[in-house]
Amino acid sequence: MRRGFGEKLGLPGALGPLPLAPLAPEYGKLTEGQRAAGLRFAGEVLTDPQERSDGGAFVSVLDGVALCTPRRRRLVDEAALLARADARPAHAPVLRLLAAIRRQDPALLRRVLLYQLLPLARQGAADLGIDPAELALLAKASRALPELDDRQRTAAEALAPLWSRRRLRACAHAVTVLGPDVVRADPWLGSLDARLRRRLDRCDRELAAARLAAPADPAGAEAGYLRVLAVASDDDEAVRGLIRLGAAPASADAPLTARPVEGGRMALAWPARPGTHWRVLREGPGPDRATPVPGTGGTASTAVDADPPVGLRVRYAAFPVEDGRPTGVPFVSHPLLVAPDAEDAALEDGPARITVRWRRPRTASATVLTLTGPDAAALRHTADRTEEHVFTGLEPGSYQVVLTARHPSPDGGTVDAPGVLRTATVHPWPRALTALTADAGPEEGVRFTGQGAEGAEVRLVVWPEGTAPAPGTELRADALPAPLPWARYGDPVPTVPDAAFAGLVSAVTVLGERALAGPGVRLDVPGPVGTPRTVREPGGRVRLLFDWPSGAGAVTAAWPDGDLRISRSAYVREGLRLPLGPGPAHVTLRPHVPDGERAVGVRRAPVGVDVPGEAVVRYRLLTRRRGLGRRVPYAVEVSADGHDPAVPLPELVLVHRTSVRPRHAEDGTVLLRIDGAALARAPLQTLELPPVPDLSRPPYALRAFLLGDGAGAVRLEEPALTTLVVR
């Protein structure tokens, strides 16, 4: 029959002292692994529910850590833990940490497991893989021990890591948090506390001696402070003592420079020492005045403090270190107030104003702007949330703006940054043009007039479609489009563009290098009529041909006796024919400009074309009586009039054919040929017909034709048909 643990010894003698602190440096990693694996107790990895149900396996912790079954009891050593880690990959991290703890001290593994079991046993936890009898004894024993709250438990678990890093001051604080009752209840804690006190007493004596030696023997004081840090690496008094030894006088340059950079950060630099590792501390007011700067600890001689405490006066120290321990006096900066200035400050002048833009530091509560200039009075503005302000009503001249970022301080007040100075000049700007009108001339062109712009040059420009700036927009003169060559402001005799124009003409007032956008007016200027030509048609009508003007919907033709308007579609479909009569005429063509509500229609000068008079060649046959009252032709009378003397007349031919009338010049025999020059020399001439036998034997017919260049432009007036046919 199995006997219960401590049956003869009694509970106190059987259990011995129980741990109230794990005192294992790896304990923090162990608890992280437990949480990841879902374990309440690290010893749960030594068994599993299946083993416990099948063979009754359980863990014993009161008399060493052992794995027990009904038939045997086997101590859990490092080899067993590692073998089980290989067999159970899901719990391998926890098992290997337990093996590392067992490797340091076999009793340390039992201590860690008992430390975890005590609060669980007090709470009545079950199914932990522990012998139920032992768990019941632990529950009973835990009632006689001090119960740790969360703060005390955190301090107890931090003792071993702090001790391993020689952070004895932090260890002393953790022991204070645990309290004397807890320390007395755990002999191991009592032993650690005694050792801790002895070491800190020696450190205190060294500190006192170093402080006394510092004024006369800096080297001796340095050695004393370094001995203290070799024992207690977190001794703030030793650190501050070394910082005091390395601080330069206020009148001298500090070996470590600290300057504010963008984003409220602090850039640090100190003399380089190849191969030396550095540890950078930031010293400020308060009990915890020397704190490490995150991200430092390498061999570089530069660093950046990304988050300095705003509103406090601090100084920086770069310690040479070896194995994390300072080895000498640090490089120390001068004290400086952490109050970042406004960033990206920029000034831009405008008409009687200065626009100030900046980027406020993330820690600033407001930005104070102070403007001084030609006037002795200073203007001040406080911007709480905005990052832009405009000073208006300024006279031309040079101005200075100081931007001061205001930060809240830890004591509830405010701290001002040193301030950023920027300068700007308010230049003379042109006066704005307040109105622009366009008046089309009666014949051609447009005149632009307006209001305002006194003392400034007014330019008329055309912006690319859709980019015309709003009136009052501030511009640079060198960025303006070229002035329109055909439009001048106030010109009494303006012209029009060579090609069609339909768009917005904008006014811009210019003074030196600066300009102001003004109003605009829309114009509709059709293109000119191109290359008019005329063709005479029968009945005194004249056909006009020309190139249609671009942008025009209609064209008006005018002559002394009338006018006619024709649309583009009608011109393309039917052409333009005018009833000018036979005489010479002058016709003018100009695009028609309708009256528009959205645009000013501009007339274009008309294009004229001279239509010469109609050229006419007349002829008639002269006949004589021959036998039985029959009349036969013997001569032809020819006249020409209405032609342009500078234009040659065509040739006249008289054709003869028997029986039927000739249809064209080759449809018969040519009896007579008169060239154009001969026709033009005499207004009326008579030419004898040559002797042709056929003329004496009727029936026959005679007919004249015009041949050669210009024949289509000359009208041939024929006599009555009865005089041309002889029977």
PDB file of all heavy atoms in Angstrom, residues 640-668:
ATOM      1  N   ALA A 640     -17.467  95.248-132.430  1.00  0.00           N
ATOM      2  CA  ALA A 640     -17.161  94.729-131.064  1.00  0.00           C
ATOM      3  C   ALA A 640     -17.201  95.893-130.089  1.00  0.00           C
ATOM      4  O   ALA A 640     -16.641  96.961-130.370  1.00  0.00           O
ATOM      5  CB  ALA A 640     -15.793  94.054-131.031  1.00  0.00           C
ATOM      6  N   ASP A 641     -17.830  95.719-128.939  1.00  0.00           N
ATOM      7  CA  ASP A 641     -17.872  96.764-127.913  1.00  0.00           C
ATOM      8  C   ASP A 641     -18.030  96.112-126.528  1.00  0.00           C
ATOM      9  O   ASP A 641     -18.387  94.941-126.404  1.00  0.00           O
ATOM     10  CB  ASP A 641     -19.020  97.741-128.184  1.00  0.00           C
ATOM     11  CG  ASP A 641     -20.374  97.053-128.213  1.00  0.00           C
ATOM     12  OD1 ASP A 641     -20.822  96.597-127.142  1.00  0.00           O
ATOM     13  OD2 ASP A 641     -20.968  96.950-129.299  1.00  0.00           O
ATOM     14  N   GLY A 642     -17.767  96.927-125.494  1.00  0.00           N
ATOM     15  CA  GLY A 642     -17.905  96.473-124.101  1.00  0.00           C
ATOM     16  C   GLY A 642     -16.748  95.633-123.595  1.00  0.00           C
ATOM     17  O   GLY A 642     -16.781  95.165-122.454  1.00  0.00           O
ATOM     18  N   HIS A 643     -15.719  95.469-124.382  1.00  0.00           N
ATOM     19  CA  HIS A 643     -14.621  94.603-123.933  1.00  0.00           C
ATOM     20  C   HIS A 643     -13.537  95.431-123.253  1.00  0.00           C
ATOM     21  O   HIS A 643     -13.448  96.647-123.436  1.00  0.00           O
ATOM     22  CB  HIS A 643     -14.043  93.840-125.127  1.00  0.00           C
ATOM     23  CG  HIS A 643     -13.426  94.737-126.167  1.00  0.00           C
ATOM     24  ND1 HIS A 643     -14.187  95.386-127.152  1.00  0.00           N
ATOM     25  CD2 HIS A 643     -12.141  95.115-126.362  1.00  0.00           C
ATOM     26  CE1 HIS A 643     -13.370  96.120-127.910  1.00  0.00           C
ATOM     27  NE2 HIS A 643     -12.128  95.964-127.453  1.00  0.00           N
ATOM     28  N   ASP A 644     -12.727  94.741-122.468  1.00  0.00           N
ATOM     29  CA  ASP A 644     -11.594  95.360-121.777  1.00  0.00           C
ATOM     30  C   ASP A 644     -10.442  95.445-122.766  1.00  0.00           C
ATOM     31  O   ASP A 644     -10.002  94.403-123.304  1.00  0.00           O
ATOM     32  CB  ASP A 644     -11.194  94.522-120.549  1.00  0.00           C
ATOM     33  CG  ASP A 644     -10.118  95.192-119.716  1.00  0.00           C
ATOM     34  OD1 ASP A 644      -9.564  96.199-120.165  1.00  0.00           O
ATOM     35  OD2 ASP A 644      -9.826  94.672-118.599  1.00  0.00           O
ATOM     36  N   PRO A 645      -9.938  96.645-123.030  1.00  0.00           N
ATOM     37  CA  PRO A 645      -8.850  96.747-124.016  1.00  0.00           C
ATOM     38  C   PRO A 645      -7.618  95.933-123.626  1.00  0.00           C
ATOM     39  O   PRO A 645      -6.825  95.543-124.509  1.00  0.00           O
ATOM     40  CB  PRO A 645      -8.539  98.250-124.044  1.00  0.00           C
ATOM     41  CG  PRO A 645      -9.786  98.896-123.540  1.00  0.00           C
ATOM     42  CD  PRO A 645     -10.372  97.949-122.548  1.00  0.00           C
ATOM     43  N   ALA A 646      -7.475  95.686-122.353  1.00  0.00           N
ATOM     44  CA  ALA A 646      -6.281  94.935-121.934  1.00  0.00           C
ATOM     45  C   ALA A 646      -6.452  93.440-122.124  1.00  0.00           C
ATOM     46  O   ALA A 646      -5.484  92.684-121.979  1.00  0.00           O
ATOM     47  CB  ALA A 646      -5.980  95.233-120.462  1.00  0.00           C
ATOM     48  N   VAL A 647      -7.697  93.004-122.426  1.00  0.00           N
ATOM     49  CA  VAL A 647      -7.948  91.575-122.593  1.00  0.00           C
ATOM     50  C   VAL A 647      -8.159  91.300-124.084  1.00  0.00           C
ATOM     51  O   VAL A 647      -9.074  91.867-124.700  1.00  0.00           O
ATOM     52  CB  VAL A 647      -9.182  91.136-121.783  1.00  0.00           C
ATOM     53  CG1 VAL A 647      -9.452  89.650-121.982  1.00  0.00           C
ATOM     54  CG2 VAL A 647      -8.981  91.456-120.304  1.00  0.00           C
ATOM     55  N   PRO A 648      -7.357  90.425-124.704  1.00  0.00           N
ATOM     56  CA  PRO A 648      -7.511  90.138-126.143  1.00  0.00           C
ATOM     57  C   PRO A 648      -8.861  89.500-126.430  1.00  0.00           C
ATOM     58  O   PRO A 648      -9.373  88.707-125.635  1.00  0.00           O
ATOM     59  CB  PRO A 648      -6.360  89.171-126.442  1.00  0.00           C
ATOM     60  CG  PRO A 648      -5.391  89.352-125.326  1.00  0.00           C
ATOM     61  CD  PRO A 648      -6.203  89.741-124.137  1.00  0.00           C
ATOM     62  N   LEU A 649      -9.440  89.857-127.593  1.00  0.00           N
ATOM     63  CA  LEU A 649     -10.690  89.260-128.032  1.00  0.00           C
ATOM     64  C   LEU A 649     -10.408  87.940-128.735  1.00  0.00           C
ATOM     65  O   LEU A 649      -9.308  87.713-129.259  1.00  0.00           O
ATOM     66  CB  LEU A 649     -11.419  90.201-128.989  1.00  0.00           C
ATOM     67  CG  LEU A 649     -12.036  91.458-128.362  1.00  0.00           C
ATOM     68  CD1 LEU A 649     -12.604  92.364-129.458  1.00  0.00           C
ATOM     69  CD2 LEU A 649     -13.132  91.070-127.385  1.00  0.00           C
ATOM     70  N   PRO A 650     -11.405  87.053-128.784  1.00  0.00           N
ATOM     71  CA  PRO A 650     -11.204  85.787-129.496  1.00  0.00           C
ATOM     72  C   PRO A 650     -11.288  85.999-131.013  1.00  0.00           C
ATOM     73  O   PRO A 650     -11.625  87.073-131.507  1.00  0.00           O
ATOM     74  CB  PRO A 650     -12.343  84.919-128.970  1.00  0.00           C
ATOM     75  CG  PRO A 650     -13.408  85.871-128.590  1.00  0.00           C
ATOM     76  CD  PRO A 650     -12.715  87.108-128.104  1.00  0.00           C
ATOM     77  N   GLU A 651     -10.994  84.960-131.715  1.00  0.00           N
ATOM     78  CA  GLU A 651     -11.034  84.987-133.189  1.00  0.00           C
ATOM     79  C   GLU A 651     -12.462  84.721-133.663  1.00  0.00           C
ATOM     80  O   GLU A 651     -13.179  83.912-133.075  1.00  0.00           O
ATOM     81  CB  GLU A 651     -10.088  83.910-133.713  1.00  0.00           C
ATOM     82  CG  GLU A 651     -10.019  83.833-135.227  1.00  0.00           C
ATOM     83  CD  GLU A 651      -9.114  82.701-135.679  1.00  0.00           C
ATOM     84  OE1 GLU A 651      -9.074  81.650-134.972  1.00  0.00           O
ATOM     85  OE2 GLU A 651      -8.464  82.833-136.704  1.00  0.00           O
ATOM     86  N   LEU A 652     -12.875  85.406-134.765  1.00  0.00           N
ATOM     87  CA  LEU A 652     -14.207  85.223-135.357  1.00  0.00           C
ATOM     88  C   LEU A 652     -14.043  84.496-136.686  1.00  0.00           C
ATOM     89  O   LEU A 652     -13.220  84.883-137.532  1.00  0.00           O
ATOM     90  CB  LEU A 652     -14.887  86.576-135.579  1.00  0.00           C
ATOM     91  CG  LEU A 652     -16.256  86.517-136.270  1.00  0.00           C
ATOM     92  CD1 LEU A 652     -17.304  85.943-135.329  1.00  0.00           C
ATOM     93  CD2 LEU A 652     -16.674  87.912-136.725  1.00  0.00           C
ATOM     94  N   VAL A 653     -14.810  83.424-136.871  1.00  0.00           N
ATOM     95  CA  VAL A 653     -14.788  82.693-138.144  1.00  0.00           C
ATOM     96  C   VAL A 653     -16.220  82.629-138.675  1.00  0.00           C
ATOM     97  O   VAL A 653     -17.177  82.526-137.885  1.00  0.00           O
ATOM     98  CB  VAL A 653     -14.187  81.284-137.976  1.00  0.00           C
ATOM     99  CG1 VAL A 653     -12.724  81.358-137.576  1.00  0.00           C
ATOM    100  CG2 VAL A 653     -14.968  80.465-136.974  1.00  0.00           C
ATOM    101  N   LEU A 654     -16.359  82.712-139.986  1.00  0.00           N
ATOM    102  CA  LEU A 654     -17.654  82.599-140.663  1.00  0.00           C
ATOM    103  C   LEU A 654     -17.632  81.302-141.451  1.00  0.00           C
ATOM    104  O   LEU A 654     -16.745  81.072-142.283  1.00  0.00           O
ATOM    105  CB  LEU A 654     -17.906  83.780-141.592  1.00  0.00           C
ATOM    106  CG  LEU A 654     -19.285  83.832-142.253  1.00  0.00           C
ATOM    107  CD1 LEU A 654     -20.375  84.001-141.203  1.00  0.00           C
ATOM    108  CD2 LEU A 654     -19.340  84.986-143.267  1.00  0.00           C
ATOM    109  N   VAL A 655     -18.593  80.426-141.157  1.00  0.00           N
ATOM    110  CA  VAL A 655     -18.607  79.079-141.721  1.00  0.00           C
ATOM    111  C   VAL A 655     -19.801  78.965-142.682  1.00  0.00           C
ATOM    112  O   VAL A 655     -20.901  79.471-142.390  1.00  0.00           O
ATOM    113  CB  VAL A 655     -18.697  78.031-140.590  1.00  0.00           C
ATOM    114  CG1 VAL A 655     -18.729  76.624-141.167  1.00  0.00           C
ATOM    115  CG2 VAL A 655     -17.524  78.178-139.637  1.00  0.00           C
ATOM    116  N   HIS A 656     -19.569  78.236-143.816  1.00  0.00           N
ATOM    117  CA  HIS A 656     -20.592  78.037-144.840  1.00  0.00           C
ATOM    118  C   HIS A 656     -20.877  76.554-144.958  1.00  0.00           C
ATOM    119  O   HIS A 656     -19.968  75.720-144.898  1.00  0.00           O
ATOM    120  CB  HIS A 656     -20.085  78.576-146.193  1.00  0.00           C
ATOM    121  CG  HIS A 656     -20.806  78.000-147.370  1.00  0.00           C
ATOM    122  ND1 HIS A 656     -20.311  76.921-148.093  1.00  0.00           N
ATOM    123  CD2 HIS A 656     -21.996  78.332-147.948  1.00  0.00           C
ATOM    124  CE1 HIS A 656     -21.154  76.627-149.066  1.00  0.00           C
ATOM    125  NE2 HIS A 656     -22.198  77.488-148.996  1.00  0.00           N
ATOM    126  N   ARG A 657     -22.175  76.235-145.164  1.00  0.00           N
ATOM    127  CA  ARG A 657     -22.553  74.834-145.385  1.00  0.00           C
ATOM    128  C   ARG A 657     -23.826  74.826-146.220  1.00  0.00           C
ATOM    129  O   ARG A 657     -24.735  75.629-145.986  1.00  0.00           O
ATOM    130  CB  ARG A 657     -22.791  74.119-144.066  1.00  0.00           C
ATOM    131  CG  ARG A 657     -23.102  72.632-144.259  1.00  0.00           C
ATOM    132  CD  ARG A 657     -23.252  71.916-142.932  1.00  0.00           C
ATOM    133  NE  ARG A 657     -23.576  70.521-143.168  1.00  0.00           N
ATOM    134  CZ  ARG A 657     -23.812  69.625-142.224  1.00  0.00           C
ATOM    135  NH1 ARG A 657     -23.759  70.011-140.942  1.00  0.00           N
ATOM    136  NH2 ARG A 657     -24.102  68.374-142.518  1.00  0.00           N
ATOM    137  N   THR A 658     -23.877  73.894-147.128  1.00  0.00           N
ATOM    138  CA  THR A 658     -25.060  73.776-147.982  1.00  0.00           C
ATOM    139  C   THR A 658     -26.153  73.030-147.245  1.00  0.00           C
ATOM    140  O   THR A 658     -25.895  72.215-146.365  1.00  0.00           O
ATOM    141  CB  THR A 658     -24.718  73.043-149.293  1.00  0.00           C
ATOM    142  OG1 THR A 658     -24.223  71.741-148.969  1.00  0.00           O
ATOM    143  CG2 THR A 658     -23.668  73.792-150.094  1.00  0.00           C
ATOM    144  N   SER A 659     -27.337  73.321-147.625  1.00  0.00           N
ATOM    145  CA  SER A 659     -28.559  72.633-147.168  1.00  0.00           C
ATOM    146  C   SER A 659     -28.922  72.934-145.721  1.00  0.00           C
ATOM    147  O   SER A 659     -30.052  73.330-145.427  1.00  0.00           O
ATOM    148  CB  SER A 659     -28.458  71.106-147.377  1.00  0.00           C
ATOM    149  OG  SER A 659     -28.217  70.826-148.729  1.00  0.00           O
ATOM    150  N   VAL A 660     -27.984  72.686-144.738  1.00  0.00           N
ATOM    151  CA  VAL A 660     -28.343  72.848-143.321  1.00  0.00           C
ATOM    152  C   VAL A 660     -27.412  73.858-142.671  1.00  0.00           C
ATOM    153  O   VAL A 660     -26.322  74.164-143.167  1.00  0.00           O
ATOM    154  CB  VAL A 660     -28.256  71.505-142.573  1.00  0.00           C
ATOM    155  CG1 VAL A 660     -29.290  70.523-143.110  1.00  0.00           C
ATOM    156  CG2 VAL A 660     -26.868  70.914-142.650  1.00  0.00           C
ATOM    157  N   ARG A 661     -27.829  74.331-141.509  1.00  0.00           N
ATOM    158  CA  ARG A 661     -27.066  75.352-140.776  1.00  0.00           C
ATOM    159  C   ARG A 661     -25.897  74.699-140.028  1.00  0.00           C
ATOM    160  O   ARG A 661     -26.057  73.664-139.387  1.00  0.00           O
ATOM    161  CB  ARG A 661     -27.996  76.040-139.782  1.00  0.00           C
ATOM    162  CG  ARG A 661     -27.405  77.246-139.106  1.00  0.00           C
ATOM    163  CD  ARG A 661     -28.494  77.929-138.311  1.00  0.00           C
ATOM    164  NE  ARG A 661     -27.973  79.144-137.678  1.00  0.00           N
ATOM    165  CZ  ARG A 661     -27.975  79.399-136.386  1.00  0.00           C
ATOM    166  NH1 ARG A 661     -28.516  78.505-135.547  1.00  0.00           N
ATOM    167  NH2 ARG A 661     -27.493  80.526-135.910  1.00  0.00           N
ATOM    168  N   PRO A 662     -24.696  75.285-140.044  1.00  0.00           N
ATOM    169  CA  PRO A 662     -23.557  74.701-139.298  1.00  0.00           C
ATOM    170  C   PRO A 662     -23.824  74.700-137.789  1.00  0.00           C
ATOM    171  O   PRO A 662     -24.403  75.620-137.233  1.00  0.00           O
ATOM    172  CB  PRO A 662     -22.390  75.625-139.654  1.00  0.00           C
ATOM    173  CG  PRO A 662     -22.800  76.317-140.902  1.00  0.00           C
ATOM    174  CD  PRO A 662     -24.288  76.461-140.837  1.00  0.00           C
ATOM    175  N   ARG A 663     -23.362  73.632-137.143  1.00  0.00           N
ATOM    176  CA  ARG A 663     -23.541  73.514-135.695  1.00  0.00           C
ATOM    177  C   ARG A 663     -22.320  73.975-134.913  1.00  0.00           C
ATOM    178  O   ARG A 663     -22.433  74.362-133.766  1.00  0.00           O
ATOM    179  CB  ARG A 663     -23.859  72.064-135.341  1.00  0.00           C
ATOM    180  CG  ARG A 663     -25.239  71.608-135.821  1.00  0.00           C
ATOM    181  CD  ARG A 663     -25.404  70.114-135.685  1.00  0.00           C
ATOM    182  NE  ARG A 663     -24.416  69.395-136.500  1.00  0.00           N
ATOM    183  CZ  ARG A 663     -24.276  68.083-136.542  1.00  0.00           C
ATOM    184  NH1 ARG A 663     -25.071  67.331-135.799  1.00  0.00           N
ATOM    185  NH2 ARG A 663     -23.370  67.527-137.310  1.00  0.00           N
ATOM    186  N   HIS A 664     -21.118  73.919-135.506  1.00  0.00           N
ATOM    187  CA  HIS A 664     -19.901  74.387-134.835  1.00  0.00           C
ATOM    188  C   HIS A 664     -18.911  74.799-135.901  1.00  0.00           C
ATOM    189  O   HIS A 664     -19.185  74.691-137.111  1.00  0.00           O
ATOM    190  CB  HIS A 664     -19.324  73.301-133.921  1.00  0.00           C
ATOM    191  CG  HIS A 664     -19.174  71.950-134.580  1.00  0.00           C
ATOM    192  ND1 HIS A 664     -18.168  71.652-135.456  1.00  0.00           N
ATOM    193  CD2 HIS A 664     -19.966  70.826-134.481  1.00  0.00           C
ATOM    194  CE1 HIS A 664     -18.301  70.401-135.875  1.00  0.00           C
ATOM    195  NE2 HIS A 664     -19.401  69.886-135.298  1.00  0.00           N
ATOM    196  N   ALA A 665     -17.770  75.259-135.503  1.00  0.00           N
ATOM    197  CA  ALA A 665     -16.820  75.870-136.435  1.00  0.00           C
ATOM    198  C   ALA A 665     -16.262  74.866-137.434  1.00  0.00           C
ATOM    199  O   ALA A 665     -15.832  75.254-138.529  1.00  0.00           O
ATOM    200  CB  ALA A 665     -15.675  76.515-135.653  1.00  0.00           C
ATOM    201  N   GLU A 666     -16.259  73.587-137.118  1.00  0.00           N
ATOM    202  CA  GLU A 666     -15.733  72.577-138.043  1.00  0.00           C
ATOM    203  C   GLU A 666     -16.840  71.935-138.867  1.00  0.00           C
ATOM    204  O   GLU A 666     -16.586  71.031-139.672  1.00  0.00           O
ATOM    205  CB  GLU A 666     -14.991  71.476-137.264  1.00  0.00           C
ATOM    206  CG  GLU A 666     -13.651  71.890-136.683  1.00  0.00           C
ATOM    207  CD  GLU A 666     -13.797  72.715-135.421  1.00  0.00           C
ATOM    208  OE1 GLU A 666     -14.872  72.578-134.775  1.00  0.00           O
ATOM    209  OE2 GLU A 666     -12.889  73.497-135.083  1.00  0.00           O
ATOM    210  N   ASP A 667     -18.056  72.402-138.672  1.00  0.00           N
ATOM    211  CA  ASP A 667     -19.189  71.793-139.377  1.00  0.00           C
ATOM    212  C   ASP A 667     -19.484  72.586-140.641  1.00  0.00           C
ATOM    213  O   ASP A 667     -20.566  73.165-140.805  1.00  0.00           O
ATOM    214  CB  ASP A 667     -20.400  71.774-138.448  1.00  0.00           C
ATOM    215  CG  ASP A 667     -21.563  70.934-139.025  1.00  0.00           C
ATOM    216  OD1 ASP A 667     -21.286  70.099-139.895  1.00  0.00           O
ATOM    217  OD2 ASP A 667     -22.705  71.119-138.548  1.00  0.00           O
ATOM    218  N   GLY A 668     -18.493  72.733-141.486  1.00  0.00           N
ATOM    219  CA  GLY A 668     -18.662  73.470-142.728  1.00  0.00           C
ATOM    220  C   GLY A 668     -17.339  74.023-143.218  1.00  0.00           C
ATOM    221  O   GLY A 668     -16.254  73.680-142.707  1.00  0.00           O
TER     222      GLY A 668
END
